[in-house]
Amino acid sequence: MFKRISALVLAGLTAMSVASCGGGSGGSGGGGDGSITMGFAQVGAESGWRTANTKSVQDSAKNAGVTLKFSDAQQKQENQIKAIRSYIQQKVDVIAFSPVVESGWDTVLKEAKDAKIPVILTDRAVDSKDTSLYKTFLGSDFVEEGKKAGQWLVQEYKDAKDPVNIVELQGTTGSAPANDRKAGFAQVIGADPKFKVIASQTGDFTRAKGKEVMEAFLKSNPDIDVLYAHNDDMGLGAIEAIEGAGKVPGKDIKIITVDAVKDGMQALADGKINYIVECSPLLGPQLMDLAKKVVKGEQVPARVVTEETTFTQEQAKQVLSSRQY
Ligand code: AHR
């Protein structure tokens, strides 16, 4: 019985993955001496990008002397809401989170506002009409990322006369990167009717689901020319499916992905992926700066957009050895 209770307690702690680093003391610092407590509600550990993002946040908190209370929502909105409520109860100085999905945040954000705890959105946005519910949003422009993917495709097939059959692996349903990367891409390729998205389904940003969904795409669509995957991990899973079907990734099926994590860049350098649009996970240092400012009551920009680039196969070969994540 004791063993079972211990296991349950341990499982609960692991699910919340509460970790503290830095030197402040639970919600009392208030930023006066720079020592503040941040509650950070992470999406999960679904991808290489997410692992790098978590490390960036944890390392930066340590370097900035911010006490970090960290929770992993395992890609579930209800877990994130629970974590945010627990941070409110603990009276942290600031809450930061990367929302799993865009909708359904108003109630808990209102609770944080009523408790006078500032909230920073990081990586992903919410669709709340009331923008006073959070202080700032730090992260990428996902629509722009989708457009960059589309622009490469339009250029690559500029002389093609036949239809170009595209399959799309979407990120987590309802998440900002899935919604926006789809919209940006569709906007660019929509200008030419030869580009046809013949199948589009979620792979939940994971390698396993990317492989599974690509296997199904290959079974029902014999003539796939292009795969557009909303992240590297799904693209890497899909490569396994393509090879399993006896086709050559990067040649028989051209592949565009988003992120540029090391494994994706390796596949790009190896010729298995054709183009990667970068999405930087290294948000930690900027997040800590913003957090200190909002706790002090200083003005911060409503939107801070991350700087990013794109990579061809040749560019990947050049930068691979110095890639941090
Ligand atoms: O929100 C950023 C996205 O989430 C990354 O592109 C993806 O890899 C991650 O899971």
Side-chain angles (χ1 to χ4, degrees), residues 245-277:
K247 295 191 185 234
V248 182
K251 294 210 162 56
D252 295 336
I253 298 179
K254 301 230 165 123
I255 302 178
I256 312 165
T257 64
V258 184
D259 275 356
V261 295
K262 208 153 196 172
D263 288 356
M265 293 291 273
Q266 183 66 59
L268 183 62
D270 293 345
K272 294 184 179 195
I273 293 178
N274 301 80
Y275 192 64
I276 299 185
V277 177

PDB file of all heavy atoms in Angstrom, residues 245-277:
ATOM      1  N   ALA A 245       8.492   2.437 -47.804  1.00  0.00           N
ATOM      2  CA  ALA A 245       7.656   2.195 -48.993  1.00  0.00           C
ATOM      3  C   ALA A 245       8.532   2.067 -50.247  1.00  0.00           C
ATOM      4  O   ALA A 245       8.014   2.017 -51.376  1.00  0.00           O
ATOM      5  CB  ALA A 245       6.650   3.332 -49.153  1.00  0.00           C
ATOM      6  N   GLY A 246       9.841   2.029 -50.065  1.00  0.00           N
ATOM      7  CA  GLY A 246      10.753   1.825 -51.201  1.00  0.00           C
ATOM      8  C   GLY A 246      10.999   3.079 -52.021  1.00  0.00           C
ATOM      9  O   GLY A 246      11.480   3.004 -53.153  1.00  0.00           O
ATOM     10  N   LYS A 247      10.691   4.254 -51.477  1.00  0.00           N
ATOM     11  CA  LYS A 247      10.923   5.506 -52.209  1.00  0.00           C
ATOM     12  C   LYS A 247      12.104   6.248 -51.584  1.00  0.00           C
ATOM     13  O   LYS A 247      12.481   5.994 -50.439  1.00  0.00           O
ATOM     14  CB  LYS A 247       9.681   6.374 -52.172  1.00  0.00           C
ATOM     15  CG  LYS A 247       8.505   5.726 -52.909  1.00  0.00           C
ATOM     16  CD  LYS A 247       7.365   6.700 -53.093  1.00  0.00           C
ATOM     17  CE  LYS A 247       6.183   5.993 -53.716  1.00  0.00           C
ATOM     18  NZ  LYS A 247       5.688   6.610 -54.906  1.00  0.00           N
ATOM     19  N   VAL A 248      12.635   7.206 -52.338  1.00  0.00           N
ATOM     20  CA  VAL A 248      13.810   7.947 -51.866  1.00  0.00           C
ATOM     21  C   VAL A 248      13.384   9.340 -51.396  1.00  0.00           C
ATOM     22  O   VAL A 248      12.980  10.185 -52.205  1.00  0.00           O
ATOM     23  CB  VAL A 248      14.869   8.075 -52.997  1.00  0.00           C
ATOM     24  CG1 VAL A 248      16.114   8.795 -52.480  1.00  0.00           C
ATOM     25  CG2 VAL A 248      15.218   6.710 -53.561  1.00  0.00           C
ATOM     26  N   PRO A 249      13.491   9.579 -50.057  1.00  0.00           N
ATOM     27  CA  PRO A 249      13.103  10.913 -49.558  1.00  0.00           C
ATOM     28  C   PRO A 249      14.062  11.973 -50.088  1.00  0.00           C
ATOM     29  O   PRO A 249      15.268  11.745 -50.163  1.00  0.00           O
ATOM     30  CB  PRO A 249      13.223  10.777 -48.034  1.00  0.00           C
ATOM     31  CG  PRO A 249      14.105   9.584 -47.804  1.00  0.00           C
ATOM     32  CD  PRO A 249      13.952   8.682 -48.992  1.00  0.00           C
ATOM     33  N   GLY A 250      13.514  13.118 -50.458  1.00  0.00           N
ATOM     34  CA  GLY A 250      14.354  14.199 -50.998  1.00  0.00           C
ATOM     35  C   GLY A 250      14.454  14.140 -52.505  1.00  0.00           C
ATOM     36  O   GLY A 250      14.817  15.129 -53.145  1.00  0.00           O
ATOM     37  N   LYS A 251      14.140  12.957 -53.092  1.00  0.00           N
ATOM     38  CA  LYS A 251      14.209  12.814 -54.554  1.00  0.00           C
ATOM     39  C   LYS A 251      12.830  12.434 -55.103  1.00  0.00           C
ATOM     40  O   LYS A 251      12.208  13.209 -55.819  1.00  0.00           O
ATOM     41  CB  LYS A 251      15.250  11.761 -54.939  1.00  0.00           C
ATOM     42  CG  LYS A 251      16.672  12.170 -54.580  1.00  0.00           C
ATOM     43  CD  LYS A 251      17.708  11.587 -55.504  1.00  0.00           C
ATOM     44  CE  LYS A 251      19.032  12.348 -55.409  1.00  0.00           C
ATOM     45  NZ  LYS A 251      19.590  12.420 -54.046  1.00  0.00           N
ATOM     46  N   ASP A 252      12.355  11.212 -54.750  1.00  0.00           N
ATOM     47  CA  ASP A 252      11.022  10.799 -55.231  1.00  0.00           C
ATOM     48  C   ASP A 252       9.954  11.705 -54.616  1.00  0.00           C
ATOM     49  O   ASP A 252       8.950  12.030 -55.255  1.00  0.00           O
ATOM     50  CB  ASP A 252      10.724   9.348 -54.814  1.00  0.00           C
ATOM     51  CG  ASP A 252      11.671   8.367 -55.484  1.00  0.00           C
ATOM     52  OD1 ASP A 252      12.212   8.717 -56.553  1.00  0.00           O
ATOM     53  OD2 ASP A 252      11.888   7.276 -54.922  1.00  0.00           O
ATOM     54  N   ILE A 253      10.161  12.046 -53.369  1.00  0.00           N
ATOM     55  CA  ILE A 253       9.244  12.966 -52.676  1.00  0.00           C
ATOM     56  C   ILE A 253      10.093  14.082 -52.071  1.00  0.00           C
ATOM     57  O   ILE A 253      10.994  13.815 -51.256  1.00  0.00           O
ATOM     58  CB  ILE A 253       8.436  12.244 -51.578  1.00  0.00           C
ATOM     59  CG1 ILE A 253       7.563  11.147 -52.210  1.00  0.00           C
ATOM     60  CG2 ILE A 253       7.585  13.240 -50.776  1.00  0.00           C
ATOM     61  CD1 ILE A 253       6.720  10.339 -51.226  1.00  0.00           C
ATOM     62  N   LYS A 254       9.850  15.315 -52.488  1.00  0.00           N
ATOM     63  CA  LYS A 254      10.599  16.445 -51.920  1.00  0.00           C
ATOM     64  C   LYS A 254       9.987  16.798 -50.559  1.00  0.00           C
ATOM     65  O   LYS A 254       8.770  16.709 -50.378  1.00  0.00           O
ATOM     66  CB  LYS A 254      10.522  17.650 -52.853  1.00  0.00           C
ATOM     67  CG  LYS A 254      11.094  17.324 -54.230  1.00  0.00           C
ATOM     68  CD  LYS A 254      12.092  18.333 -54.702  1.00  0.00           C
ATOM     69  CE  LYS A 254      12.863  17.756 -55.862  1.00  0.00           C
ATOM     70  NZ  LYS A 254      12.777  18.549 -57.049  1.00  0.00           N
ATOM     71  N   ILE A 255      10.847  17.204 -49.645  1.00  0.00           N
ATOM     72  CA  ILE A 255      10.366  17.423 -48.269  1.00  0.00           C
ATOM     73  C   ILE A 255      10.771  18.808 -47.759  1.00  0.00           C
ATOM     74  O   ILE A 255      11.939  19.195 -47.841  1.00  0.00           O
ATOM     75  CB  ILE A 255      10.924  16.333 -47.320  1.00  0.00           C
ATOM     76  CG1 ILE A 255      10.505  14.938 -47.824  1.00  0.00           C
ATOM     77  CG2 ILE A 255      10.435  16.558 -45.889  1.00  0.00           C
ATOM     78  CD1 ILE A 255      11.036  13.777 -46.996  1.00  0.00           C
ATOM     79  N   ILE A 256       9.769  19.512 -47.240  1.00  0.00           N
ATOM     80  CA  ILE A 256      10.006  20.814 -46.590  1.00  0.00           C
ATOM     81  C   ILE A 256       9.553  20.661 -45.137  1.00  0.00           C
ATOM     82  O   ILE A 256       8.461  20.134 -44.876  1.00  0.00           O
ATOM     83  CB  ILE A 256       9.135  21.933 -47.211  1.00  0.00           C
ATOM     84  CG1 ILE A 256       9.209  21.908 -48.729  1.00  0.00           C
ATOM     85  CG2 ILE A 256       9.519  23.297 -46.659  1.00  0.00           C
ATOM     86  CD1 ILE A 256       8.099  22.725 -49.386  1.00  0.00           C
ATOM     87  N   THR A 257      10.377  21.137 -44.193  1.00  0.00           N
ATOM     88  CA  THR A 257       9.976  21.080 -42.783  1.00  0.00           C
ATOM     89  C   THR A 257      10.239  22.433 -42.118  1.00  0.00           C
ATOM     90  O   THR A 257      10.808  23.333 -42.732  1.00  0.00           O
ATOM     91  CB  THR A 257      10.740  19.969 -42.012  1.00  0.00           C
ATOM     92  OG1 THR A 257      12.136  20.296 -42.011  1.00  0.00           O
ATOM     93  CG2 THR A 257      10.554  18.601 -42.625  1.00  0.00           C
ATOM     94  N   VAL A 258       9.841  22.526 -40.863  1.00  0.00           N
ATOM     95  CA  VAL A 258      10.056  23.757 -40.079  1.00  0.00           C
ATOM     96  C   VAL A 258      10.771  23.366 -38.776  1.00  0.00           C
ATOM     97  O   VAL A 258      10.448  22.318 -38.202  1.00  0.00           O
ATOM     98  CB  VAL A 258       8.712  24.432 -39.721  1.00  0.00           C
ATOM     99  CG1 VAL A 258       8.939  25.756 -38.983  1.00  0.00           C
ATOM    100  CG2 VAL A 258       7.857  24.657 -40.965  1.00  0.00           C
ATOM    101  N   ASP A 259      11.682  24.171 -38.301  1.00  0.00           N
ATOM    102  CA  ASP A 259      12.381  24.088 -37.009  1.00  0.00           C
ATOM    103  C   ASP A 259      13.891  24.282 -37.180  1.00  0.00           C
ATOM    104  O   ASP A 259      14.459  25.182 -36.619  1.00  0.00           O
ATOM    105  CB  ASP A 259      12.163  22.776 -36.229  1.00  0.00           C
ATOM    106  CG  ASP A 259      10.889  22.799 -35.383  1.00  0.00           C
ATOM    107  OD1 ASP A 259      10.214  23.851 -35.339  1.00  0.00           O
ATOM    108  OD2 ASP A 259      10.561  21.755 -34.787  1.00  0.00           O
ATOM    109  N   ALA A 260      14.545  23.316 -37.898  1.00  0.00           N
ATOM    110  CA  ALA A 260      16.017  23.314 -38.029  1.00  0.00           C
ATOM    111  C   ALA A 260      16.708  22.874 -36.742  1.00  0.00           C
ATOM    112  O   ALA A 260      17.695  23.488 -36.316  1.00  0.00           O
ATOM    113  CB  ALA A 260      16.548  24.666 -38.513  1.00  0.00           C
ATOM    114  N   VAL A 261      16.192  21.802 -36.115  1.00  0.00           N
ATOM    115  CA  VAL A 261      16.929  21.176 -35.010  1.00  0.00           C
ATOM    116  C   VAL A 261      18.011  20.296 -35.626  1.00  0.00           C
ATOM    117  O   VAL A 261      17.989  20.022 -36.831  1.00  0.00           O
ATOM    118  CB  VAL A 261      16.004  20.333 -34.080  1.00  0.00           C
ATOM    119  CG1 VAL A 261      15.008  21.228 -33.367  1.00  0.00           C
ATOM    120  CG2 VAL A 261      15.292  19.222 -34.848  1.00  0.00           C
ATOM    121  N   LYS A 262      18.958  19.844 -34.812  1.00  0.00           N
ATOM    122  CA  LYS A 262      20.137  19.148 -35.345  1.00  0.00           C
ATOM    123  C   LYS A 262      19.777  17.929 -36.218  1.00  0.00           C
ATOM    124  O   LYS A 262      20.323  17.769 -37.308  1.00  0.00           O
ATOM    125  CB  LYS A 262      21.060  18.736 -34.208  1.00  0.00           C
ATOM    126  CG  LYS A 262      22.479  18.660 -34.671  1.00  0.00           C
ATOM    127  CD  LYS A 262      23.449  18.906 -33.541  1.00  0.00           C
ATOM    128  CE  LYS A 262      24.815  19.216 -34.123  1.00  0.00           C
ATOM    129  NZ  LYS A 262      25.764  19.648 -33.122  1.00  0.00           N
ATOM    130  N   ASP A 263      18.843  17.094 -35.753  1.00  0.00           N
ATOM    131  CA  ASP A 263      18.488  15.899 -36.534  1.00  0.00           C
ATOM    132  C   ASP A 263      17.887  16.282 -37.886  1.00  0.00           C
ATOM    133  O   ASP A 263      18.121  15.624 -38.898  1.00  0.00           O
ATOM    134  CB  ASP A 263      17.462  15.034 -35.784  1.00  0.00           C
ATOM    135  CG  ASP A 263      18.073  14.321 -34.593  1.00  0.00           C
ATOM    136  OD1 ASP A 263      19.298  14.448 -34.396  1.00  0.00           O
ATOM    137  OD2 ASP A 263      17.322  13.642 -33.863  1.00  0.00           O
ATOM    138  N   GLY A 264      17.100  17.351 -37.896  1.00  0.00           N
ATOM    139  CA  GLY A 264      16.518  17.829 -39.157  1.00  0.00           C
ATOM    140  C   GLY A 264      17.616  18.345 -40.075  1.00  0.00           C
ATOM    141  O   GLY A 264      17.635  18.043 -41.275  1.00  0.00           O
ATOM    142  N   MET A 265      18.543  19.106 -39.500  1.00  0.00           N
ATOM    143  CA  MET A 265      19.636  19.671 -40.299  1.00  0.00           C
ATOM    144  C   MET A 265      20.535  18.569 -40.856  1.00  0.00           C
ATOM    145  O   MET A 265      21.053  18.669 -41.961  1.00  0.00           O
ATOM    146  CB  MET A 265      20.449  20.643 -39.442  1.00  0.00           C
ATOM    147  CG  MET A 265      19.664  21.885 -39.059  1.00  0.00           C
ATOM    148  SD  MET A 265      19.345  22.955 -40.466  1.00  0.00           S
ATOM    149  CE  MET A 265      20.839  23.927 -40.437  1.00  0.00           C
ATOM    150  N   GLN A 266      20.707  17.489 -40.079  1.00  0.00           N
ATOM    151  CA  GLN A 266      21.503  16.350 -40.555  1.00  0.00           C
ATOM    152  C   GLN A 266      20.814  15.722 -41.777  1.00  0.00           C
ATOM    153  O   GLN A 266      21.465  15.440 -42.794  1.00  0.00           O
ATOM    154  CB  GLN A 266      21.644  15.319 -39.422  1.00  0.00           C
ATOM    155  CG  GLN A 266      22.504  14.121 -39.774  1.00  0.00           C
ATOM    156  CD  GLN A 266      23.970  14.500 -39.987  1.00  0.00           C
ATOM    157  OE1 GLN A 266      24.607  15.026 -39.090  1.00  0.00           O
ATOM    158  NE2 GLN A 266      24.496  14.275 -41.200  1.00  0.00           N
ATOM    159  N   ALA A 267      19.486  15.534 -41.664  1.00  0.00           N
ATOM    160  CA  ALA A 267      18.739  14.944 -42.790  1.00  0.00           C
ATOM    161  C   ALA A 267      18.769  15.868 -44.010  1.00  0.00           C
ATOM    162  O   ALA A 267      18.804  15.408 -45.157  1.00  0.00           O
ATOM    163  CB  ALA A 267      17.298  14.666 -42.364  1.00  0.00           C
ATOM    164  N   LEU A 268      18.786  17.174 -43.761  1.00  0.00           N
ATOM    165  CA  LEU A 268      18.871  18.148 -44.865  1.00  0.00           C
ATOM    166  C   LEU A 268      20.243  18.044 -45.530  1.00  0.00           C
ATOM    167  O   LEU A 268      20.350  17.968 -46.763  1.00  0.00           O
ATOM    168  CB  LEU A 268      18.627  19.562 -44.306  1.00  0.00           C
ATOM    169  CG  LEU A 268      18.601  20.735 -45.281  1.00  0.00           C
ATOM    170  CD1 LEU A 268      17.475  20.608 -46.306  1.00  0.00           C
ATOM    171  CD2 LEU A 268      18.450  22.074 -44.538  1.00  0.00           C
ATOM    172  N   ALA A 269      21.298  17.990 -44.717  1.00  0.00           N
ATOM    173  CA  ALA A 269      22.657  17.864 -45.254  1.00  0.00           C
ATOM    174  C   ALA A 269      22.826  16.539 -46.006  1.00  0.00           C
ATOM    175  O   ALA A 269      23.551  16.467 -46.996  1.00  0.00           O
ATOM    176  CB  ALA A 269      23.670  17.964 -44.118  1.00  0.00           C
ATOM    177  N   ASP A 270      22.131  15.502 -45.545  1.00  0.00           N
ATOM    178  CA  ASP A 270      22.209  14.177 -46.195  1.00  0.00           C
ATOM    179  C   ASP A 270      21.335  14.082 -47.447  1.00  0.00           C
ATOM    180  O   ASP A 270      21.268  13.030 -48.080  1.00  0.00           O
ATOM    181  CB  ASP A 270      21.758  13.077 -45.223  1.00  0.00           C
ATOM    182  CG  ASP A 270      22.709  12.909 -44.052  1.00  0.00           C
ATOM    183  OD1 ASP A 270      23.852  13.425 -44.135  1.00  0.00           O
ATOM    184  OD2 ASP A 270      22.320  12.285 -43.047  1.00  0.00           O
ATOM    185  N   GLY A 271      20.596  15.127 -47.765  1.00  0.00           N
ATOM    186  CA  GLY A 271      19.765  15.133 -48.976  1.00  0.00           C
ATOM    187  C   GLY A 271      18.394  14.506 -48.809  1.00  0.00           C
ATOM    188  O   GLY A 271      17.656  14.328 -49.772  1.00  0.00           O
ATOM    189  N   LYS A 272      18.021  14.166 -47.565  1.00  0.00           N
ATOM    190  CA  LYS A 272      16.708  13.518 -47.355  1.00  0.00           C
ATOM    191  C   LYS A 272      15.593  14.542 -47.175  1.00  0.00           C
ATOM    192  O   LYS A 272      14.416  14.246 -47.341  1.00  0.00           O
ATOM    193  CB  LYS A 272      16.765  12.598 -46.135  1.00  0.00           C
ATOM    194  CG  LYS A 272      17.707  11.420 -46.348  1.00  0.00           C
ATOM    195  CD  LYS A 272      17.678  10.464 -45.188  1.00  0.00           C
ATOM    196  CE  LYS A 272      18.616   9.295 -45.477  1.00  0.00           C
ATOM    197  NZ  LYS A 272      18.386   8.171 -44.585  1.00  0.00           N
ATOM    198  N   ILE A 273      15.965  15.736 -46.702  1.00  0.00           N
ATOM    199  CA  ILE A 273      15.026  16.866 -46.641  1.00  0.00           C
ATOM    200  C   ILE A 273      15.559  17.881 -47.653  1.00  0.00           C
ATOM    201  O   ILE A 273      16.771  17.960 -47.901  1.00  0.00           O
ATOM    202  CB  ILE A 273      14.966  17.476 -45.212  1.00  0.00           C
ATOM    203  CG1 ILE A 273      14.330  16.470 -44.236  1.00  0.00           C
ATOM    204  CG2 ILE A 273      14.178  18.780 -45.192  1.00  0.00           C
ATOM    205  CD1 ILE A 273      14.256  16.946 -42.777  1.00  0.00           C
ATOM    206  N   ASN A 274      14.670  18.652 -48.278  1.00  0.00           N
ATOM    207  CA  ASN A 274      15.108  19.604 -49.315  1.00  0.00           C
ATOM    208  C   ASN A 274      15.238  21.034 -48.820  1.00  0.00           C
ATOM    209  O   ASN A 274      16.015  21.815 -49.362  1.00  0.00           O
ATOM    210  CB  ASN A 274      14.136  19.563 -50.499  1.00  0.00           C
ATOM    211  CG  ASN A 274      14.064  18.174 -51.083  1.00  0.00           C
ATOM    212  OD1 ASN A 274      13.365  17.314 -50.537  1.00  0.00           O
ATOM    213  ND2 ASN A 274      14.788  17.921 -52.148  1.00  0.00           N
ATOM    214  N   TYR A 275      14.445  21.392 -47.790  1.00  0.00           N
ATOM    215  CA  TYR A 275      14.460  22.790 -47.342  1.00  0.00           C
ATOM    216  C   TYR A 275      13.898  22.849 -45.930  1.00  0.00           C
ATOM    217  O   TYR A 275      12.912  22.170 -45.627  1.00  0.00           O
ATOM    218  CB  TYR A 275      13.571  23.614 -48.279  1.00  0.00           C
ATOM    219  CG  TYR A 275      13.678  25.114 -48.145  1.00  0.00           C
ATOM    220  CD1 TYR A 275      14.851  25.789 -48.438  1.00  0.00           C
ATOM    221  CD2 TYR A 275      12.571  25.864 -47.759  1.00  0.00           C
ATOM    222  CE1 TYR A 275      14.937  27.180 -48.356  1.00  0.00           C
ATOM    223  CE2 TYR A 275      12.638  27.260 -47.672  1.00  0.00           C
ATOM    224  CZ  TYR A 275      13.834  27.899 -47.971  1.00  0.00           C
ATOM    225  OH  TYR A 275      13.914  29.267 -47.891  1.00  0.00           O
ATOM    226  N   ILE A 276      14.543  23.659 -45.076  1.00  0.00           N
ATOM    227  CA  ILE A 276      14.005  23.834 -43.714  1.00  0.00           C
ATOM    228  C   ILE A 276      13.842  25.318 -43.411  1.00  0.00           C
ATOM    229  O   ILE A 276      14.740  26.127 -43.658  1.00  0.00           O
ATOM    230  CB  ILE A 276      14.911  23.190 -42.637  1.00  0.00           C
ATOM    231  CG1 ILE A 276      15.044  21.675 -42.876  1.00  0.00           C
ATOM    232  CG2 ILE A 276      14.339  23.445 -41.243  1.00  0.00           C
ATOM    233  CD1 ILE A 276      15.824  20.934 -41.777  1.00  0.00           C
ATOM    234  N   VAL A 277      12.682  25.652 -42.880  1.00  0.00           N
ATOM    235  CA  VAL A 277      12.411  27.007 -42.390  1.00  0.00           C
ATOM    236  C   VAL A 277      12.724  26.995 -40.896  1.00  0.00           C
ATOM    237  O   VAL A 277      12.187  26.170 -40.159  1.00  0.00           O
ATOM    238  CB  VAL A 277      10.927  27.370 -42.617  1.00  0.00           C
ATOM    239  CG1 VAL A 277      10.628  28.756 -42.050  1.00  0.00           C
ATOM    240  CG2 VAL A 277      10.571  27.287 -44.097  1.00  0.00           C
TER     241      VAL A 277
END
